Amino acid sequence: MTTDISQIAEARASQWLLLERVRREQESASDTLPYARDRATVTISRECGAGGHTVAAKLLERLGPEWRIWDREIVDEIARSAKVRSAFVEGFDEHTLSRAEQTIRYLANYWGLSPDRYYKHLVEVLISIGHQGKTIIIGRGANFVLPRALKVRLCASESYRTHVIRDRDAITEAEARLKIHQFDNERASFARTMFGKQIDDPIEYDIVMRTDRLTTDAVAASLCAAVNEHIHSLV
C-alpha cells in the first residue's frame, strides 16, 4: 500500500496545533481558578550531578509528611492516563527524538504512545499534580507548565558534578563527564522540543542555586524558607 506523505504531514500538523490549543486553555484555566494555599507546588529543574533528588528529599523532611515528591511516579501516571505500559513513556521521559524517529515511532507504534500523545498527557498529568498541592516535582519541564509554582533551578560547576557522578556511579572521571554532558543535552533538548524553552534561562525560575557553594542542608533550609514565603503569598 502506498502511503500519502502529504496526508501524514497534514494530520501531524493538525495534531500539534490541537495540542497547543489544549495547552493554552489549560494554562488559562490555571490562572483564573481560585488558588488555595494548600495547593502550593515546588518544581525542581536540575543539572546532572547538582543533587536535585537529594535536595528534594531534604526539603521534604523540612516541609513535613503531608508533602510528596513526584519523580518516577510521573511516568506511571502518564502511562495510566494514556493507557499504555510505562516502558513506552520511558522512551520519551526527559529525552527527545529526531523528527524522523518521531514519525517512524508514530507509524510503527500507533497503538502505543507517540510524542504528541506523550506531550498531551504530560501536560495534563503535571496540571493534575499541581492542583493536588503540597508537591515537589522533579524535572519534566513542570516549571513551564505550572505558572503558580515556586520554580527552582539547581546547578553546579562541571568539575563538582563530575566528581559527584563519578563517586555515585563508580565510573571513571571521563565517563562521568560524558554522562553529565549527555543528560544535560537531553534535558535541554527536551525543554526546547516539548515547550519551546531554554532550560537554563534564569527568567524561567524564581530561584537559581549553586549546590557546590552550599551544603545540601543549607540549600534545603533556604528553599524551605522560600516555600513558606511563597505559600503566604498565595491567594
Side-chain angles (χ1 to χ4, degrees):
M1 180 184 299
T2 302
T3 303
D4 187 337
I5 300 300
S6 63
Q7 289 182 352
I8 295 175
E10 183 178 351
R12 288 189 60 78
S14 297
Q15 286 177 322
W16 282 103
L17 288 172
L18 175 60
L19 289 174
E20 282 300 302
R21 189 186 72 184
V22 169
R23 181 180 64 83
R24 288 194 298 269
E25 290 174 351
Q26 289 171 329
E27 287 182 347
S28 176
S30 67
D31 285 338
T32 57
L33 289 174
Y35 201 93
R37 289 179 176 177
D38 61 1
R39 282 167 53 191
T41 300
V42 180
T43 67
I44 296 180
S45 171
R46 73 285 188 221
E47 290 182 326
C48 180
H53 294 86
T54 304
V55 169
K58 289 285 187 180
L59 177 59
L60 183 69
E61 291 177 3
R62 292 176 176 273
L63 291 175
E66 68 273 17
W67 281 72
R68 178 180 177 183
I69 293 175
W70 285 84
D71 181 20
R72 177 62 174 75
E73 298 83 359
I74 296 174
V75 172
D76 297 330
E77 284 298 314
I78 294 173
R80 189 176 299 111
S81 175
K83 296 181 172 60
V84 298
R85 297 196 304 271
S86 295
F88 282 106
V89 181
E90 290 171 349
F92 300 104
D93 192 45
E94 291 196 300
H95 304 276
T96 55
L97 304 171
S98 70
R99 290 294 179 183
E101 289 174 320
Q102 286 184 15
T103 303
I104 291 170
R105 179 170 293 215
Y106 179 78
L107 296 175
N109 299 315
Y110 180 77
W111 53 274
L113 184 67
S114 61
D116 47 4
R117 285 189 66 209
Y118 168 83
Y119 174 83
K120 178 178 182 295
H121 288 286
L122 170 65
V123 170
E124 291 176 347
V125 166
L126 289 176
I127 289 176
S128 176
I129 293 172
H131 283 174
Q132 292 177 28
K134 295 185 177 179
T135 57
I136 303 169
I137 305 175
I138 300 177
R140 279 80 183 185
N143 57 295
F144 303 126
V145 177
L146 303 174
R148 300 297 298 275
L150 180 69
K151 298 174 279 292
V152 177
R153 173 75 172 167
L154 302 179
C155 57
S157 67
E158 182 176 312
S159 60
Y160 173 87
R161 295 186 291 127
T162 298
H163 292 159
V164 167
I165 297 301
R166 179 198 64 187
D167 296 343
R168 187 195 71 185
D169 297 349
I171 57 180
T172 68
E173 189 166 319
E175 290 171 331
R177 187 175 294 107
L178 181 63
K179 187 169 187 175
I180 65 173
H181 286 169
Q182 177 185 347
F183 275 59
D184 286 347
N185 288 337
E186 287 180 345
R187 289 169 181 168
S189 182
F190 178 87
R192 287 194 304 270
T193 301
M194 293 293 174
F195 304 103
K197 301 287 188 177
Q198 298 298 320
I199 197 170
D200 57 355
D201 184 354
I203 201 65
E204 299 291 346
Y205 304 96
D206 302 306
I207 300 173
V208 179
M209 299 192 73
R210 285 190 58 171
T211 56
D212 56 341
R213 297 291 183 90
L214 297 168
T215 65
T216 302
D217 285 330
V219 172
S222 298
L223 292 181
C224 183
V227 171
N228 288 329
E229 184 68 24
H230 175 68
I231 290 173
H232 291 304
S233 70
L234 297 175
V235 294

